[in-house]
Amino acid sequence: MIKISVFYPYKDGAAFDIDYYVNRHMPMVRDTIGAACKGIAVEYGVSGGAPGSHPPYVAMGHILLESAQALETSFAPHLPKFLADIPNYTAIEPVIQVSEVKLQ
Amino acid sequence: MIKISVFYPYKDGAAFDIDYYVNRHMPMVRDTIGAACKGIAVEYGVSGGAPGSHPPYVAMGHILLESAQALETSFAPHLPKFLADIPNYTAIEPVIQVSEVKLQ
């Protein structure tokens, strides 16, 4: 299983509409990918390792795909559509990671 | 639900024993936390957003807890034990994030 993780770095004063992200953006991503999408997940940053510290990321979104093949055929072609929706919830530029799920 | 994410930044040439991490470290963390641990997960970095680029993180580990209360009572007291095991699989210093799970 392949996981695409999208990290939004925490920035003092930078807005992030978590409700839009959870209820509109990520479901749109899932529905656009279709059957190749094996799951979506969202986390909202609370803190870093020290209580009360800023989290490294204000939010993180994850997309599960069955294979690297699906990344190419079912995700990459829609990337412009996904990116075009970002200004609707934040001005933060995300960091992207593609991972192999080893344990879940 | 609360998620503790442990990110190991990718560094050229830095070793990371993913088998030890998946099969020994994370199960030890889960067993030490006990019933308060609602799940563990591990991802191994493949690439960044651009195919063939280095992933931001060589590996990521996640621990699910039912509440912020469990973080204090069932996780924090064991942190020295968890940290003491890191040299058995890497010399990379991890970045830690505590998040609220909004969608899973």
Side-chain angles (χ1 to χ4, degrees):
Chain A
M1 194 84 85
I2 293 291
K3 182 182 267 193
I4 304 167
S5 294
V6 185
F7 304 112
Y8 294 87
Y10 176 89
K11 278 179 192 152
D12 258 334
F16 191 97
D17 185 341
I18 187 70
D19 291 327
Y20 184 98
Y21 191 62
V22 167
N23 298 312
R24 299 186 59 181
H25 179 79
M26 290 299 285
M28 176 276 285
V29 168
R30 179 194 58 210
D31 295 348
T32 302
I33 296 172
C37 180
K38 300 307 178 190
I40 54 173
V42 172
E43 290 119 37
Y44 194 56
V46 171
S47 72
S53 62
H54 291 310
Y57 302 107
V58 63
M60 299 184 274
H62 311 282
I63 300 149
L64 276 171
L65 301 172
E66 207 161 70
S67 64
Q69 177 68 15
L71 182 74
E72 250 180 82
T73 57
S74 303
F75 177 83
H78 306 295
L79 193 55
K81 178 180 176 180
F82 301 156
L83 296 177
D85 192 43
I86 295 181
N88 290 322
Y89 56 89
T90 193
I92 298 170
E93 194 176 337
V95 173
I96 294 176
Q97 163 133 0
V98 177
S99 304
E100 184 192 340
V101 175
K102 300 291 278 186
L103 183 68
Q104 76 173 151
Chain B
M1 195 83 86
I2 294 290
K3 182 181 266 192
I4 304 166
S5 294
V6 185
F7 304 112
Y8 294 87
Y10 176 89
K11 279 180 192 151
D12 257 334
F16 191 96
D17 185 341
I18 188 68
D19 290 327
Y20 184 97
Y21 191 62
V22 167
N23 298 311
R24 298 187 59 182
H25 179 78
M26 290 299 285
M28 177 275 285
V29 168
R30 180 192 59 211
D31 295 347
T32 301
I33 296 173
C37 181
K38 300 306 178 190
I40 55 173
V42 171
E43 290 119 37
Y44 194 57
V46 172
S47 73
S53 61
H54 291 309
Y57 302 107
V58 62
M60 299 183 273
H62 312 281
I63 301 150
L64 277 171
L65 301 173
E66 206 161 70
S67 65
Q69 177 68 14
L71 182 73
E72 250 180 81
T73 57
S74 303
F75 177 83
H78 305 296
L79 193 54
K81 178 179 175 180
F82 302 156
L83 296 177
D85 192 43
I86 295 180
N88 289 322
Y89 55 89
T90 192
I92 298 170
E93 194 176 338
V95 173
I96 294 176
Q97 164 132 359
V98 177
S99 303
E100 185 192 338
V101 176
K102 301 291 276 186
L103 183 68
Q104 74 171 154

